[in-house]
């Protein structure tokens, strides 16, 4: 009587870590759906069912739902780059919004009631109150953020109309890698700070760029909230338990409540790797808020969620364990 979970996007960075955590728990059967546009087949553990399919393919979804009869869907699929979303908004709305609509329609046809959605800090834009509370008013400032905000609204309307029960998890900066060092972050192109900094330590780039050092922050560089992927994975499991037990929809911010500046992250990487990691200060990027930090009060209170990784050194060390043994990511 295992609970069957369809993990859409389960071959991606965060999805693969969720799959690892979920596969250690009793009573869950996992089915991964991924088109492998960005995901990595090598991240999928042996024995886990995998269907290569695109969530925009309604026929494929119908076939998969008929075959596996899932009890719940966790939805990690998305196009994830803010810059790309500005250049190609239609592509982003198609994948992130239309793709999610097809998934929800299929769930409705097959009477699947529980949905967990990978939302983002990007829905908040330039937040008025920092740390950002769970009930802050979303105000996205780019197409990527809008796609997440639109889906959150679609979910609320679908609960109202069809009785769907959902949880939105708004991740702040996902980072780090599984403690085994077997799976980790391998995005192309890579835009996230920690893997980019570690590329310098690996000799794959000469220096790391700091975009602006004249912000009103402790050292002038931007401050962000870094949250370990395994902690994000654990939050999904708590969220699923909550959905099934309480049958209530809810949205949660997932962050650490603390911020680290770009310089602090680079210094942590210097300590962890022993490499000098030269940096170059460049002009500010348009649209970068000075500080983005989340309050995760709701997840802590309602889900009983607690972070395991609570220093930037421990996060960077876990990422380093993966990168130094996978210099070319999953191609190694
Ligand atoms: P990722 O690109 O590593 O994973 C996404 C996965 O979905 C990939 O395996 C990709 O192949 C798959 N996919 C994309 N479109 C698909 C489609 N149409 N059909 C089937 N599979 C498809 O990204 P990630 O960093 O793991 O992010 C996962 C989710 O978390 C995304 O929804 C993202 O918006 C959200 N998120 C990520 C971060 C972060 O810091 N990485 C922060 C906030 C929110």
């Amino acid at each position: 009587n295992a609970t069957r979970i369809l993990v859409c996007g389960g071959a991606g960075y965060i999805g693969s870590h969720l799959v690892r955590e979920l596969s250690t728990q009793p009573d869950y059967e996992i089915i991964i759906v991924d088109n492998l546009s960005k995901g990595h087949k090598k991240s999928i553990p042996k024995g886990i069912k995998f269907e290569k399919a695109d969530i925009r393919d309604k026929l494929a979804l119908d076939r998969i739902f008929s075959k596996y009869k899932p009890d719940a869907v966790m939805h990690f699929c998305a196009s994830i780059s803010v810059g790309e979303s500005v250049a190609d908004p239609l592509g982003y709305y198609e994948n992130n919004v239309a793709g999610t609509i097809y998934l929800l329609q299929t769930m409705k046809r097959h009477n699947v009631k529980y949905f967990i959605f990978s939302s983002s800090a990007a829905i908040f834009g330039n937040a008025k109150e920092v740390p950002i509370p769970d009930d802050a008013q979303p105000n996205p400032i780019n197409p990527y953020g809008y796609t997440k905000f639109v889906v959150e609204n679609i979910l609320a309307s679908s609960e109202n109309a069809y009785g769907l029960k959902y949880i939105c998890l708004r991740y702040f900066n996902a980072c780090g890698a599984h403690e085994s060092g077997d799976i980790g972050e391998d995005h192309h192109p890579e835009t996230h700070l920690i893997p980019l900094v570690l590329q310098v330590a690996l000799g794959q780039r000469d220096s790391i760029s700091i975009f602006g050092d004249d912000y009103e922050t402790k050292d002038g560089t931007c401050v962000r909230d870094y949250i370990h992927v395994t902690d994000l994975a654990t939050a999904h499991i708590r969220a699923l338990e909550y959905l099934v037990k309480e049958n209530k929809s809810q949205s949660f911010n997932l962050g650490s409540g603390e911020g680290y500046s770009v310089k602090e992250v680079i210094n942590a990487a210097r300590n962890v790797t022993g490499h000098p990691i030269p940096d170059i200060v460049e002009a500010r990027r348009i649209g970068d808020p000075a500080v983005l930090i989340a309050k995760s009060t709701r997840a802590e209170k309602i889900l009983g969620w607690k972070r395991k990784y609570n220093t930037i050194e421990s996060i960077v060390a876990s990422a380093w364990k993966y990168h130094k043994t996978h210099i070319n990511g999953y191609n190694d």
Side-chain angles (χ1 to χ4, degrees), residues 105-117:
Q105 286 174 329
T106 313
M107 287 176 63
K108 183 167 164 275
R109 276 198 299 281
H110 291 261
N111 293 315
V112 182
K113 208 168 101 181
Y114 301 123
F115 189 74
I116 298 183
F117 175 58

Side-chain angles (χ1 to χ4, degrees), residues 12-14 34-35 38-39 54-55 76 78 95 144 148 174 187:
Y13 171 46
I14 304 173
D34 201 299
N35 65 3
K38 299 283 177 182
D54 194 299
I55 55 159
F76 295 89
N95 202 28
Y144 170 72
K148 296 289 177 184
H187 287 126

Side-chain angles (χ1 to χ4, degrees), residues 8-16 33-40 53-57 75-81 94-96 99 117-122 144 147-148 169-175 185-187 192 227 229 232:
C8 299
Y13 171 46
I14 304 173
S16 62
V33 174
D34 201 299
N35 65 3
L36 298 181
S37 57
K38 299 283 177 182
H40 306 277
D54 194 299
I55 55 159
R56 289 162 295 182
D57 180 345
H75 178 34
F76 295 89
C77 301
S79 303
I80 67 162
S81 153
E94 189 207 336
N95 202 28
N96 297 4
F117 175 58
S118 300
S119 189
S120 169
Y144 170 72
T147 65
K148 296 289 177 184
L169 298 175
R170 288 100 170 234
Y171 318 149
F172 280 62
N173 289 46
C175 53
E185 186 163 14
D186 185 8
H187 287 126
H192 295 133
I227 184 80
V229 268
L232 292 179

